[in-house]
Amino acid sequence: MDYGKLDAPLASAVEEAARAPESRSLVVILRLTGAPSDREIARLREAGVEASSSAATVVTGVLSRRDVDELSEEPFVMSLSLSGRRRPMVGG
């Protein structure tokens, strides 16, 4: 695993997920080095990433620890971040 591509919260979550490496429980944001090729889109989809457009350079997915490990080693993946919980905006 290339920990240099993981943000601190994701690195911690990956260590906690070590007991169940196949469980898809990590909501991850991936930043790509550029627009992905057809092969790269296929690889992302195989891992469970929502890669619907070849123009997208930021994609998300619900991944297992193993998926994070494998995608962190891909040269077209620049960084991976654990997605935070979204809350409704208050006020206006």
Side-chain angles (χ1 to χ4, degrees), residues 39-63:
R39 183 197 69 79
E40 292 166 346
I41 289 172
R43 176 66 188 99
L44 291 167
R45 287 180 180 162
E46 176 184 300
V49 175
E50 299 169 14
S52 60
S53 167
S54 62
T57 58
V58 178
V59 293
T60 62
V62 180
L63 308 178

Side-chain angles (χ1 to χ4, degrees), residues 1-81:
M1 185 168 316
D2 185 347
Y3 282 94
K5 292 185 180 181
L6 279 59
D7 70 353
L10 180 57
S12 294
V14 162
E15 291 307 312
E16 290 174 19
R19 287 177 241 114
E22 299 298 326
S23 175
R24 290 185 182 272
S25 60
L26 302 168
V27 181
V28 178
I29 300 168
L30 294 91
R31 286 173 182 75
L32 309 177
T33 57
S37 67
D38 289 341
R39 183 197 69 79
E40 292 166 346
I41 289 172
R43 176 66 188 99
L44 291 167
R45 287 180 180 162
E46 176 184 300
V49 175
E50 299 169 14
S52 60
S53 167
S54 62
T57 58
V58 178
V59 293
T60 62
V62 180
L63 308 178
S64 69
R65 181 188 197 282
R66 179 160 300 170
D67 294 326
V68 171
D69 181 7
E70 292 173 1
L71 289 173
S72 74
E73 297 293 338
E74 292 285 354
F76 67 91
V77 176
M78 186 182 333
S79 66
L80 299 97
S81 306

